Amino acid sequence: LPYFIFTGQPDYMKDEMFVQSYGEFYIKGDDNEKLITDIISACEKHPEIQARKSFPEAFLVFDKGIIDKSYEHLLIEIITAYENQDYRKKNLTVQRDLLEAIFKSLNNPVPCIPTVFFDVRKKNNPNLESCTRFMEDRDSSGHKLNKAVPQSIKSAFRKLKESTSEYSHLSDEVKLKIPFLANTFLLMEVLEWLPNFVKSNYPNCI
């Protein structure tokens, strides 16, 4: 994180050791406006701030507690990779991790996907096929969602599941531009859809 030194001791300006150790600093009374400007500039360059400015609606699921904040870094990584045109396969792995986080959130705290689809021996990892079938409102091992989900969202879950699994055998450095871009926007669709779905069907969870 960026840091700023705001001092009322201008004698430091002549102290070479201080300057070499700490870099630029600001003198009270002289540099107040410059400090404010530099703080704003530094904040705007922070990856989370930039990501939120690009896709603000996608972050609502974290702000509302639908998906645990501990997974927010995955969305930031995906948006950062998108903005940097970084299409390496390793970023599809991050997309898969975010898909898993979405499924986990739809089990806890949102009591939607049955617990039987999660492996408690492996940190509660979801069975992606079972969870996807369930969110498609198809029978999945005797369980069915029986709630309204737009066809576009059902298709998004299916495409994300298949795409993030299909390339798992490839090296992390292989570039997969089209799959990465397609998955990015499908994830945004799902993330922006989730708050209304939870509000309509599980109002106590939002």
Side-chain angles (χ1 to χ4, degrees), residues 103-199:
F103 285 146
K104 286 181 179 180
S105 75
L106 286 170
N107 171 257
N108 182 26
V110 182
C112 175
I113 300 178
T115 299
V116 69
F117 297 151
F118 298 83
D119 191 340
V120 294
R121 299 166 301 174
K122 299 180 180 179
K123 299 182 179 179
N124 228 29
N125 281 350
N127 180 308
L128 292 181
E129 176 59 26
S130 296
C131 290
T132 299
R133 284 182 64 89
F134 187 81
M135 293 310 297
E136 290 174 317
D137 201 20
R138 298 163 63 196
D139 181 82
S140 188
S141 302
H143 299 274
K144 202 167 185 292
L145 177 60
N146 293 321
K147 290 180 172 60
V149 176
Q151 184 57 51
S152 60
I153 297 299
K154 294 177 184 179
S155 299
F157 275 119
R158 174 56 58 184
K159 175 63 167 64
L160 285 166
K161 183 267 174 184
E162 300 298 342
S163 179
T164 58
S165 301
E166 181 179 355
Y167 305 101
S168 59
H169 64 286
L170 298 178
S171 162
D172 279 350
E173 299 304 308
V174 173
K175 292 186 178 180
L176 299 165
K177 179 178 179 179
I178 300 304
F180 173 80
L181 290 175
N183 292 347
T184 296
F185 287 102
L186 289 171
L187 282 166
M188 298 307 167
E189 279 192 67
V190 171
L191 292 172
E192 292 185 19
W193 162 79
L194 265 178
N196 284 333
F197 173 76
V198 174
K199 184 178 179 180

Side-chain angles (χ1 to χ4, degrees), residues 4-20:
F4 302 87
I5 299 174
F6 193 41
T7 178
Q9 302 181 50
D11 290 344
Y12 283 141
M13 295 176 65
K14 302 174 183 178
D15 189 333
E16 282 296 323
M17 182 66 71
F18 183 86
V19 174
Q20 290 176 11

